[in-house]
Amino acid sequence: MATEPQIKNYGYIPDKIADEDYVLGSLQIPTEVLQADGQWDNFIPASEIQRTEKYETYGCTIFGTQNCLEFLFKRLFGELKNWSDRYVYIFTGTRPPGNSPKTIIEAIRKQCGMIDEKLLPMSGAITYEEYIQPDPLPVLLTWKGEELLNNYKINYEWVFQDSQIHNRNEAIKTALQYSPLGIAVYAWLYDFEEKVYVRPKGKEDNHWCVLYGYEEGQYWKIYDSYDSTLKQLDWNFGFERCLRYRISKIEHINWWQVIKNYFLSLFK
């Protein structure tokens, strides 16, 4: 049996999927198989909770999105990253009741990039008023964030459209081969008999987190920014919004070396 908790918003504002948005299967961004079994357990990033004893950030879409990118970065480049959620929070002007996943990833990939947690840590803010400062962000921080965009290209796509009613679980399993997934959920109702979190009938999503694997037919693995970070969701949870991400390194041409090699070749 499950006792339904008081409904709470954790900072998730749903997006409308636009006609021009990329969707899995449209081949608009490459689909390299990184984890053929769809399991990302070996790439779990550092645990970060989106609230403190004194304040709630309502920043789940930022925490969840960056956690996905941290999973992916560790898998691709072998580096354990911990990016500053507070930096993106301030840059995007996120305030209660929160923000949407598309707004956050669009800002990260096109405008602000990301910076290391140590440059603007959550731990440095005692109150919420301190958490949303400095605003505006110092130029040196935004330059640091843009440096990431000079070296890496970030993209994303929806895993399914609203019109895809059936086989959403299969689409999720396919997408998990390419990246951990940003996922909208109803948080958090635990069924003590089944030992999984469930969605009560008719309840809408109120939270954004990471789906990083599954046990076929039994449960989905969730990495969360709230309370216990590792959770198991009912296999028939019923997902409404899901994103997969992609990071690729930008190869810069060393023109000086190219020119140098050209002239050296003339004297061979």
Side-chain angles (χ1 to χ4, degrees):
M1 295 293 292
T3 302
E4 188 170 339
Q6 182 180 0
I7 297 175
K8 175 181 178 178
N9 174 38
Y10 294 78
Y12 171 70
I13 297 177
D15 292 292
K16 290 184 178 180
I17 301 178
D19 292 339
E20 63 271 17
D21 285 354
Y22 294 173
V23 180
L24 183 71
S26 61
L27 304 180
Q28 290 166 300
I29 61 175
T31 52
E32 307 95 340
V33 173
L34 299 177
Q35 293 299 113
D37 62 358
Q39 311 300 326
W40 293 79
D41 305 67
N42 292 332
F43 309 101
I44 293 175
S47 174
E48 287 185 292
I49 306 301
Q50 69 179 63
R51 66 172 175 86
T52 71
E53 292 181 356
K54 295 193 175 180
Y55 62 89
E56 165 68 67
T57 65
Y58 297 93
C60 67
T61 52
I62 297 168
F63 282 77
T65 298
Q66 290 201 150
N67 283 337
C68 279
L69 298 176
E70 288 166 356
F71 266 93
L72 198 50
F73 205 89
K74 185 176 180 182
R75 167 62 180 83
L76 288 168
F77 310 111
E79 294 183 47
L80 180 60
K81 290 290 186 180
N82 184 10
W83 285 305
S84 170
D85 308 279
R86 184 178 169 190
Y87 167 74
V88 176
Y89 191 98
I90 295 170
F91 185 93
T92 55
T94 300
R95 298 291 185 273
N99 217 324
S100 80
K102 183 177 174 181
T103 298
I104 298 305
I105 190 60
E106 281 287 300
I108 288 174
R109 64 182 292 267
K110 291 182 177 178
Q111 298 174 290
C112 63
M114 296 178 288
I115 65 173
D116 288 340
E117 172 75 11
K118 64 184 179 182
L119 297 177
L120 194 60
M122 184 175 184
S123 59
I126 306 303
T127 65
Y128 179 75
E129 289 69 28
E130 291 175 317
Y131 183 79
I132 60 176
Q133 297 298 323
D135 189 8
L137 289 160
V139 173
L140 288 177
L141 287 184
T142 57
W143 282 355
K144 193 69 177 174
E146 291 166 5
E147 182 181 323
L148 182 137
L149 299 184
N150 291 329
N151 292 289
Y152 299 94
K153 183 177 181 180
I154 299 172
N155 218 323
Y156 68 97
E157 63 183 355
W158 297 104
V159 173
F160 45 76
Q161 295 176 312
D162 292 334
S163 58
Q164 183 179 342
I165 304 300
H166 305 291
N167 299 321
R168 288 189 176 185
N169 281 7
E170 291 302 313
I172 289 172
K173 287 165 58 179
T174 297
L176 278 169
Q177 297 178 87
Y178 314 132
S179 86
L181 308 176
I183 197 82
V185 300
Y186 174 84
W188 287 113
L189 177 61
Y190 192 70
D191 188 315
F192 287 91
E193 291 183 359
E194 299 297 328
K195 295 182 171 53
V196 292
Y197 287 90
V198 297
R199 180 196 295 277
K201 186 176 181 180
K203 296 299 183 181
E204 297 181 350
D205 296 321
N206 60 356
H207 190 39
W208 186 255
C209 48
V210 182
L211 195 160
Y212 70 94
Y214 60 92
E215 189 67 34
E216 179 72 36
Q218 297 184 40
Y219 58 80
W220 300 98
K221 300 175 184 178
I222 293 294
Y223 179 77
D224 194 21
S225 60
Y226 218 88
D227 299 329
S228 301
T229 54
L230 301 182
K231 296 180 169 73
Q232 295 175 353
L233 266 61
D234 175 32
W235 184 255
N236 298 310
F237 193 87
F239 298 112
E240 296 293 329
R241 287 287 183 273
C242 184
L243 285 175
R244 82 102 170 173
Y245 303 90
R246 182 175 187 266
I247 303 175
S248 58
K249 196 164 188 176
I250 298 172
E251 299 298 335
H252 296 285
I253 299 175
N254 185 336
W255 288 108
W256 166 245
Q257 190 64 45
V258 170
I259 294 170
K260 180 181 177 181
N261 290 342
Y262 170 75
F263 281 105
L264 287 174
S265 69
L266 297 179
F267 295 96
K268 287 185 178 179

